[in-house]
Amino acid sequence: MICEPFEVLEFALYRRTALNQGPSGRRASTLASPLSHFMVTREQLVELLENIALLLELKGENPFKIRAYRSAAASASSYPGDILEEARQGRLESIPGIGQAIAGKITGFVATGQLDYYNQLRAAYPDSLFELFHLRGLGPRKIKALHEALGVSSLADLKRVCTSGEAAALPGFGAKTAAKILEAIAFRVSNAERFRLGDVLPLAMVLRESLREHPASLQVSEAGSVRRGCETVHDLDFIVATSDPCAVLDAFTRSQEVREILSNGETKATVVLHNGLQCDLRAVSNLEYPFALQYFTGSKEHNVVLRGRARDQGFTLNEYRLAPLDENGPAPPEINTEEDLYAALGLPWIEPALRENAGEFEAAATGTLPTLLRQENLRGTFHVHTTASDGRSSLQEMADAAQALGLQYLGIADHSRSSVQANGLDAKRLEAQIAEIRRLNQSLEGFRLFAGVECDILRDGSLDFDDDVLSQLDYVVASVHSSFQLPEKDQTERILRAIRNPWVTILGHPTGRLLLERDPYALDLPAVIDACAETGTWIELNANPWRLDLDWRWWRRARDRGVRCVINPDAHHTSGLQDLHFGVLAARKGWLRRDDVVNCLPLKDMEKALLLKRRA
């Protein structure tokens, strides 16, 4: 069978099911979740400490105490050694940012997986209150005020007081704040049953490998939207070929990942995992496996066309078999794999990433299906942050991590001065970083750091630094970080002006979306793509699974206009480099090939490409 990208991981996937990082590298709160029942990981420890800080803030505790837990969380996250082993050996107090009292709590948590202090803090509030932490623009202070003044303990309560005007009357709120909260509630409700691929894929791989280890399993694969690499998913689907369905299904339902069993029949089991995600496992025979795998991979639109093609050739196709429409019809050829199935219908195998009925059948019929980008094609990447701005790893640590992954180059792009919330660099600090990068490069062999900046596109489309500063860099990522609510015409003109600046190399996260958190800002994307084609500006595919921006649906248009894609992790920690995997999946859905992605160039060719862009 053709090897899919899920099978080839040059970069080990970071366990985001535990870390659940947001776009700036900070973990998104999962306060409503109980403490993990698994062996404690570093990520769960960081989550615990940050959750305690949030609960203390909600409780109105001493700010110094809150800061102590946040500091301990940052130290635990960035500690270069094995923080869990340090806890077991009683050596935590030697680590900056971790005091005696917190060290004791960490040690107990690492040893038992439980912490009474945390459980007591959390027990003071109803579980439904913690749903509010997932709403954009609503922090602990506002939640505390709403809870204490108006008794708000759930999304339903919050919607009621915002609609009635009670929330607007509270100090520090107002009608505009209440209206924004209502918008956030509506957005949250509309996406309540969806999960980001980055939060689901690592868990899917764990479950898949567990199924493969069962002695009665013959063939196993994920299916559905996860196999197609969709940016968000509703549930998980697995197909297993087995001669003992009951044994595999029973073992699956007893998995430590399972919170609730919804059903467990003779050929299918449905469970709910601890993160609330529904998961279906279908057990079939070896003969049925290729049909079930193709059918349950989808999409529905793709399957409708494929079934129609089967009918046109005198066959009926379903999730179990390909058979003659009538008794006297010709028998189909022997089918053992998906490739055999597509070949039986006169088609080359269509990769799961392309199965959206978005031109894949026409391309298959004319022999123009693309040879899609693969993980191992990447040679380097740009747009990573360091401790110089809001990153949590040093310049040296980021360079070491990139080399450990086999990359030939890494572009440093800390925030510019207008991103005050991200400790953005002013011209003096940026020039110092450039000098540091130049010095470090002198000691590197076969690897290079490129000096860049993520330069804010200001409201009027001008850039955060003058051209004399930008000209000292190897490249510039221009990004929007403010004024998201501008009308489409103004937002488009703003970005077009930035693209036309000759020092801009890359347009960063072009639409500003945060999956399941924030819609894209209003933008005339065709005009932006055309401008990038005219100026030779590269468009970023931001690989952070909260972004995956530019959306895969636009990449064929950009590709066909000659725009180069650059897959960047927007990493704020060495672990964020693992997000390149999600960028590759999104690029594949966008029909991108190796030659369409500029950071597939080897180092020498990339050096030339950067120089050419700056001379254009």
Side-chain angles (χ1 to χ4, degrees):
M1 175 166 297
I2 295 175
C3 187
E4 295 183 45
F6 295 108
E7 310 289 341
V8 182
L9 297 183
E10 288 283 319
F11 307 96
L13 271 173
Y14 193 54
R15 186 68 187 273
R16 284 188 173 271
T17 46
L19 186 60
N20 195 23
Q21 283 185 337
S24 65
R26 293 194 61 183
R27 186 196 47 76
S29 172
T30 54
L31 281 165
S33 302
L35 289 179
S36 175
H37 57 298
F38 308 122
M39 183 180 294
V40 171
T41 66
R42 180 197 293 255
E43 293 76 35
Q44 289 168 332
L45 172 59
V46 173
E47 179 180 23
L48 171 79
L49 295 170
E50 292 191 350
N51 281 352
I52 289 174
L54 282 171
L55 285 164
L56 291 174
E57 192 169 356
L58 190 60
K59 191 179 176 182
E61 275 279 4
N62 186 315
F64 294 102
K65 190 173 184 179
I66 297 168
R67 194 175 303 124
Y69 276 95
R70 291 215 166 103
S71 177
S75 295
S77 176
S78 60
Y79 183 67
D82 186 344
I83 189 74
L84 304 179
E85 185 59 27
E86 299 292 345
R88 296 184 190 103
Q89 299 299 324
R91 296 194 293 254
L92 288 173
E93 291 178 55
S94 65
I95 300 175
I98 300 180
Q100 182 179 4
I102 295 178
K105 291 183 173 65
I106 291 174
T107 299
F109 176 61
V110 171
T112 66
Q114 292 292 322
L115 185 61
D116 289 342
Y117 179 64
Y118 170 77
N119 293 334
Q120 289 165 7
L121 284 173
R122 203 173 159 276
Y125 302 96
D127 287 349
S128 58
L129 180 68
F130 300 108
E131 298 174 2
L132 308 187
F133 282 91
H134 295 285
L135 294 176
R136 62 178 183 265
L138 198 62
R141 292 183 182 178
K142 279 189 166 64
I143 292 173
K144 181 179 187 312
L146 289 161
H147 181 63
E148 293 181 350
L150 301 176
V152 171
S153 295
S154 66
L155 285 176
D157 291 343
L158 183 59
K159 183 176 181 180
R160 173 178 52 77
V161 300
C162 287
T163 303
S164 68
E166 295 173 81
L170 290 177
F173 280 77
K176 183 178 288 187
T177 297
K180 287 184 177 179
I181 291 173
L182 286 173
E183 290 177 6
I185 292 172
F187 186 86
R188 179 74 184 173
V189 170
S190 67
N191 292 286
E193 295 183 354
R194 299 202 69 80
F195 295 76
R196 283 176 287 269
L197 179 65
D199 297 330
V200 169
L201 184 55
L203 180 59
M205 295 176 70
V206 169
L207 289 168
R208 183 192 64 191
E209 293 312 304
S210 177
L211 285 167
R212 283 181 174 174
E213 290 172 1
H214 194 284
S217 293
L218 303 173
Q219 299 184 75
V220 177
S221 177
E222 65 281 341
S225 50
V226 166
R227 187 171 181 236
R228 300 201 314 278
C230 297
E231 64 271 43
T232 65
V233 303
H234 180 266
D235 52 21
L236 272 177
D237 294 282
F238 289 96
I239 310 298
V240 57
T242 177
S243 57
D244 192 351
C246 289
V248 176
L249 293 170
D250 287 344
F252 173 72
T253 58
R254 291 195 304 270
S255 168
Q256 61 181 359
E257 308 283 353
V258 172
R259 184 184 75 195
E260 179 184 0
I261 301 171
L262 299 182
S263 66
N264 186 9
E266 294 182 358
T267 60
K268 178 185 174 184
T270 299
V271 302
V272 178
L273 306 179
H274 286 283
N275 65 352
L277 181 68
Q278 182 174 307
C279 182
D280 295 335
L281 173 63
R282 291 172 173 84
V284 297
S285 69
N286 247 346
L287 289 176
E288 294 169 333
Y289 182 78
F291 306 101
L293 181 59
Q294 190 286 319
Y295 180 86
F296 289 108
T297 293
S299 66
K300 291 180 181 178
E301 294 78 9
H302 179 90
N303 286 353
V304 166
V305 175
L306 197 65
R307 289 197 301 271
R309 187 178 183 91
R311 282 194 302 273
D312 292 344
Q313 297 182 26
F315 299 111
T316 177
L317 173 64
N318 60 30
E319 62 265 46
Y320 301 113
R321 63 189 59 84
L322 180 68
L325 274 173
D326 57 67
E327 295 180 359
N328 298 321
E334 181 178 344
I335 294 173
N336 297 307
T337 65
E338 270 194 331
E339 290 90 323
D340 293 340
L341 173 56
Y342 279 90
L345 299 177
L347 295 169
W349 184 67
I350 298 176
E351 298 221 35
L354 303 182
R355 298 180 195 175
E356 303 291 347
N357 192 27
E360 68 270 26
F361 287 105
E362 293 80 0
T366 57
T368 56
L369 281 173
T371 300
L372 297 179
L373 175 75
R374 300 193 67 80
Q375 185 91 27
E376 59 268 26
N377 297 148
L378 295 184
R379 293 291 177 265
T381 193
F382 300 86
H383 193 172
V384 303
H385 300 270
T386 73
T387 50
S389 61
D390 64 342
R392 293 183 291 118
S393 299
S394 67
L395 179 62
Q396 182 70 61
E397 288 169 337
M398 294 301 290
D400 291 344
Q403 291 176 84
L405 292 175
L407 299 181
Q408 297 177 3
Y409 50 87
L410 180 69
I412 305 299
D414 277 307
H415 288 283
S416 62
R417 58 191 174 187
S418 287
S419 288
V420 177
Q421 78 288 349
N423 190 32
L425 278 63
D426 59 20
K428 185 176 180 180
R429 290 172 62 210
L430 178 60
E431 288 169 0
Q433 186 184 69
I434 295 170
E436 183 181 2
I437 289 172
R438 302 287 189 251
R439 286 194 300 272
L440 188 54
N441 276 332
Q442 293 176 8
S443 64
L444 298 172
E445 293 185 9
F447 179 84
R448 176 175 172 178
L449 289 170
F450 289 109
V453 69
E454 185 178 18
C455 191
D456 274 24
I457 301 174
L458 305 181
R459 187 185 179 99
D460 65 354
S462 61
L463 298 179
D464 206 9
F465 287 123
D466 295 334
D467 287 355
D468 60 341
V469 174
L470 299 180
S471 65
Q472 301 176 51
L473 297 158
D474 296 317
Y475 74 101
V476 174
V477 180
S479 304
V480 168
H481 289 113
S482 62
S483 301
F484 298 141
Q485 303 303 320
L486 287 178
E488 179 180 305
K489 184 174 182 293
D490 295 341
Q491 194 74 271
T492 302
E493 285 301 320
R494 170 193 193 182
I495 292 176
L496 292 180
R497 181 181 174 189
I499 290 170
R500 294 184 185 113
N501 184 298
W503 297 111
V504 169
T505 316
I506 301 167
L507 175 62
H509 43 72
T511 72
R513 75 175 184 183
L514 296 178
L515 291 167
L516 308 184
E517 293 287 331
R518 183 175 73 206
D519 284 328
Y521 33 73
L523 193 63
D524 183 352
L525 265 175
V528 169
I529 289 170
D530 288 348
C532 287
E534 293 166 9
T535 59
T537 304
W538 307 341
I539 294 182
E540 177 179 82
L541 198 169
N542 191 296
N544 186 303
W546 284 57
R547 291 190 185 275
L548 298 180
D549 183 15
L550 186 66
D551 186 292
W552 61 266
R553 296 163 183 82
W554 287 97
W555 276 113
R556 282 180 72 190
R557 179 189 179 99
R559 180 199 73 180
D560 292 346
R561 289 285 286 116
V563 175
R564 304 296 293 276
C565 168
V566 54
I567 299 177
N568 290 329
D570 201 351
H572 289 69
H573 186 269
T574 55
S575 60
L577 291 170
Q578 314 296 345
D579 287 342
L580 287 168
H581 179 69
F582 299 106
V584 170
L585 294 182
R588 290 169 61 83
K589 281 203 75 61
W591 292 56
L592 295 186
R593 305 153 298 195
R594 179 176 185 165
D595 290 345
D596 302 319
V597 179
V598 71
N599 49 320
C600 289
L601 291 174
L603 175 57
K604 293 299 182 184
D605 291 340
M606 175 55 72
E607 290 172 338
K608 295 175 184 176
L610 287 172
L611 286 173
L612 285 172
K613 174 65 182 77
R614 297 177 79 73
R615 292 171 182 163

